Amino acid sequence: LYADGTLSSCTALMSEPFSDQPDRQGLQVTSENELYERMVKAHAAGLQIGVHAIGDQANRMVIELYRQLLAEHPRPDHRHRLEHASVLAPDLIGRIKALGLVVSSQPLFIHSEKHWLNKRLGPKRTPWTYAFRSLVEAGIRVAGASDAPVESISALAAIQCLVTREGFETHQTLTAEQAVKMFTLEAAFAQFEDNLRGSIC
């Protein structure tokens, strides 16, 4: 399911306008009512939900819809996902953890976007963009993904980007072990395949 657009096109749904395009604040692709109706149907069918959410406002909206869904229709080990969770606010990380949501993320977005992200988002939001360390340290299951064909399918390149961040907001770097885990154990967990793959132990 889709909540918003992308950072590159200034269509990611933001709580405040883009720093370099102050007349734009992104867009909501699917209304909250329609999004929630689809989520309820998928959840009731026993399916795993993944919602594309890039902007901070899109993530806030989707997290709240997940909260409502799980309050009204509890289900253990649902492994519902936030796809991307690109721009977060500090308070959202605790809410993601509390709901048991999985974050599916694409580290190579940093490679493509690092030259203009600070200008687009400004100093307040950039530190919480692709906040991998904050998510992992909070105990959230974060799965590595590629978003191919938008980005390369090279897991090794993505792992390197997690460790170095190519100089972008390096306080959010991961260790090599944490980075490898994202593309093995955590990726398998995110797909309910952790009993089949992800580890040689």
Side-chain angles (χ1 to χ4, degrees):
L1 301 172
Y2 283 81
D4 67 344
T6 69
L7 292 171
S8 59
S9 63
C10 290
T11 53
L13 186 63
M14 307 299 294
S15 58
E16 298 178 7
F18 292 100
S19 298
D20 61 345
Q21 296 197 37
D23 59 329
R24 302 183 69 180
Q25 204 164 328
L27 57 86
Q28 187 171 324
V29 173
T30 311
S31 72
E32 287 188 52
N33 287 340
E34 182 179 353
L35 194 56
Y36 188 65
E37 287 176 8
R38 292 184 182 186
M39 291 168 72
V40 169
K41 289 178 181 177
H43 183 77
L47 300 176
Q48 183 185 19
I49 302 166
V51 185
H52 166 113
I54 287 184
D56 63 332
Q57 186 60 32
N59 279 287
R60 187 172 299 280
M61 175 183 70
V62 172
I63 291 166
E64 174 57 25
L65 292 178
Y66 273 131
R67 185 206 61 75
Q68 181 181 346
L69 175 71
L70 294 170
E72 295 176 356
H73 310 281
R75 190 174 102 200
D77 199 28
H78 51 79
R79 303 191 197 182
H80 293 324
R81 298 198 308 261
L82 285 167
E83 300 296 326
H84 309 308
S86 301
V87 186
L88 298 172
D91 67 295
L92 295 181
I93 291 178
R95 298 181 66 190
I96 292 169
K97 171 63 176 174
L99 293 170
L101 300 176
V102 175
V103 171
S104 173
S105 63
Q106 298 70 29
L108 285 178
F109 282 173
I110 292 173
H111 176 76
S112 300
E113 301 172 358
K114 65 178 188 269
H115 300 295
W116 48 262
L117 270 177
N118 191 278
K119 182 180 177 182
R120 178 136 304 163
L121 297 176
K124 178 182 170 184
R125 294 178 291 198
T126 305
W128 294 97
T129 304
Y130 307 121
F132 301 128
R133 179 183 289 183
S134 295
L135 289 164
V136 169
E137 289 184 347
I140 294 164
R141 309 298 293 259
V142 184
S146 69
D147 210 50
V150 175
E151 300 292 347
S152 166
I153 63 170
S154 172
L156 289 177
I159 288 167
Q160 182 183 37
C161 198
L162 284 167
V163 174
T164 68
R165 291 181 67 96
E166 300 186 7
F168 174 76
E169 297 295 333
T170 55
H171 65 285
Q172 293 287 359
T173 56
L174 294 181
T175 66
E177 182 180 1
Q178 290 170 323
V180 169
K181 186 178 179 181
M182 273 181 57
F183 278 85
T184 52
L185 290 167
E186 301 295 57
F189 179 87
Q191 302 177 90
F192 285 94
E193 293 185 342
D194 44 316
N195 62 332
L196 299 172
R197 65 185 74 218
S199 173
I200 60 172
C201 297

